[in-house]
Amino acid sequence: MHTPMKAIQLQAPGGPDVLQLVELPLPQPQAGEVRVKAMAIGAGGPDVLIRNGTYKWMPPMPAIPGNEMAGVVDAVGPGVSALHVGQRVLVSARELKQRGGCYAEAICVPEAAPFVLPDAIRFEDAVSLGNFQLALAMLSSNGNLPAQSILIPGAAGGVATALVQVARDRGLRVIGTASTPQKRDFALANGAHEVIESDARGLTDKVMQLTGGRGVDLAFDHLGGDLFVACLRALAPFGMVVSYNIVSGPPSSDVFGELRALLGKSLAVRTFSIHAVDADAVQRRGLMESAIALMAEGRVHAPKATLFPLAEARYAHELLDSGGTLGKIILLPRGT
C-alpha cells in the first residue's frame, strides 16, 4: 500500500482554476536520488507560465508546477553519498531536467541537484534565493565592468527586489521606479536610494537630474514598451540596458535607430534569461552558492512573505495574476 502525499497538479493549461489539489503516491528515491520533504514552496512568475501553458520550457501534462522548494532530506536511494537524511536543502528546478515539480509535499531529485542550506537561512527565506541567483547573473552581464549607478524599473517586484539588494551590497547607487506610493515605500525599505514615478515620459529627465547629467551605467527592464526606450536614453556613456522580460510588449520605436541617435555614448542592449546557463552547471551553481553565502552572512535579506497553505495555490495564483501582493508568495505544505 502506497503512502499518499498531497500535491497541486494541472491536467491542461489555463487560469488558476486548473490547479487541483490531488493525492499522489509518496515518491520513492531511486538509485542516486534523494527525497526532499517540503517545508516551504515558492510561488512566482515561472509557475504562472507553466500553469497557462506559455512557458518555453514546459513540463509534460499532467504537470506539477513549482520551481523552488526548501525542506529536509527524508530518504535516500541506493548509492547516495553526497547528502544524508536530516540535511536542510533547497531544490531549484533550474537544476532539474525539466522545470516544475515543487508544488508537492515531497519531491525526488538527483543527489547532485539540491543545495545545502546553512542553519542561518530559514526555509521560508530560502525560496527567494533563486531571485538573488538571477540578480547576481544579471549584474555580471556587462562583464563586471565598473559601475556607479543603476536603474531598476518596477523596483518592488520579485527579481527587482533582489537586484536592489545585491547592487546596494556592492556599493552601487540604486534608482528605482514605482507605480504606487505603497510600492515606492516598499522599494525604499528594501534599500533603493531613490524611487521615482514609473511614467516613461519623465523618466529620462529625472534620472539625469539624479545623476548630475551623467546617467546610469546599467538599467534592468522587465516591462518593455516605451519604458525600454526611456531606460536607453537614461544611460551613461558605455551603459547597457538589460531586458529580462517584456510585460508591456516590445518597444514600438526603432531601438537600433535610438542607439544610432545616441552613438556618442556607445550604448548596448542585452536580452537576458537564466536559461543561458542551463548547460553550464559550474556557473549556474556558483551563482546560487554565492546567493546562499550573501543571505547567510546577512548581506541580503529575503523580502517579506505572504504565506498560504499548499491547498490554496489557486488563490495564490490569482494574486500572482493580479500583481496584488508585495514580496514573496510562499506555499506551506502543512495545514493542507
Side-chain angles (χ1 to χ4, degrees):
M1 183 175 177
H2 291 295
T3 304
M5 75 163 184
K6 293 186 174 68
I8 299 295
Q9 192 179 64
L10 60 149
Q11 300 291 326
D17 60 312
V18 303
L19 298 175
Q20 298 176 324
L21 181 68
V22 298
E23 279 200 351
L24 299 172
L26 183 69
Q28 300 302 314
Q30 304 301 304
E33 289 186 339
V34 300
R35 186 174 68 207
V36 178
K37 178 184 178 182
M39 300 300 289
I41 300 161
D47 306 338
V48 172
L49 298 180
I50 288 175
R51 188 207 75 215
N52 64 29
T54 60
Y55 201 42
K56 292 182 180 179
W57 298 270
M58 284 292 293
M61 295 291 161
I64 296 174
N67 284 285
E68 53 221 6
M69 172 196 291
V72 177
V73 175
D74 76 339
V76 300
V80 169
S81 59
L83 296 169
H84 58 78
V85 172
Q87 273 187 301
R88 306 171 76 253
V89 295
L90 171 71
V91 173
S92 167
R94 291 170 185 162
E95 300 300 317
L96 306 180
K97 288 184 178 179
Q98 66 185 38
R99 296 301 198 253
C102 290
Y103 281 15
E105 290 184 322
I107 188 173
C108 287
V109 297
E111 65 174 320
F115 296 90
V116 175
L117 284 175
D119 291 340
I121 299 179
R122 301 186 317 138
F123 291 122
E124 289 86 352
D125 294 340
V127 293
S128 290
L129 282 164
N131 280 344
F132 288 98
Q133 177 194 33
L134 191 61
L136 287 165
M138 284 202 283
L139 278 167
S140 67
S141 62
N142 71 337
N144 286 313
L145 292 172
Q148 298 176 30
S149 58
I150 66 170
L151 173 64
I152 304 178
V159 176
T161 293
L163 274 167
V164 169
Q165 289 198 43
V166 175
R168 181 150 185 158
D169 180 68
R170 294 186 177 183
L172 299 177
R173 184 181 183 193
V174 180
I175 301 170
T177 77
S179 57
T180 67
Q182 184 188 21
K183 290 181 177 180
R184 180 180 183 274
D185 291 345
F186 182 88
L188 288 169
N190 187 60
H193 292 94
E194 291 100 5
V195 178
I196 59 179
E197 292 180 8
S198 55
D199 186 354
R201 288 169 294 185
L203 181 75
T204 302
D205 288 343
K206 288 178 182 175
V207 170
M208 287 300 176
Q209 289 169 14
L210 289 171
T211 58
R214 179 178 178 272
V216 292
D217 299 286
L218 288 162
F220 296 95
D221 175 46
H222 70 287
L223 298 170
D226 293 340
L227 194 72
F228 179 89
V229 175
C231 287
L232 199 61
R233 293 171 179 167
L235 292 175
F238 298 101
M240 181 169 73
V241 176
V242 178
S243 170
Y244 65 100
N245 206 339
I246 48 169
V247 173
S248 301
S252 57
S253 57
D254 177 7
V255 172
F256 190 74
E258 292 286 344
L259 288 167
R260 294 298 299 178
L262 298 165
L263 186 61
K265 288 189 173 184
S266 299
L267 304 179
V269 171
R270 179 184 292 281
T271 56
F272 179 87
S273 168
I274 195 66
H275 289 278
V277 294
D278 276 356
D280 190 340
V282 173
Q283 183 181 3
R284 184 182 66 249
R285 292 188 69 85
L287 289 164
M288 181 63 89
E289 295 288 1
S290 295
I292 290 170
L294 284 173
M295 188 175 286
E297 293 165 12
R299 292 165 61 185
V300 301
H301 303 275
K304 71 171 187 177
T306 304
L307 309 177
F308 296 102
L310 180 62
E312 293 183 21
R314 281 188 186 181
Y315 181 62
H317 272 242
E318 289 172 4
L319 290 177
L320 286 169
D321 284 356
S322 69
T325 60
L326 292 171
K328 186 74 174 178
I329 294 178
I330 297 175
L331 303 175
L332 300 175
R334 53 191 179 277
T336 58

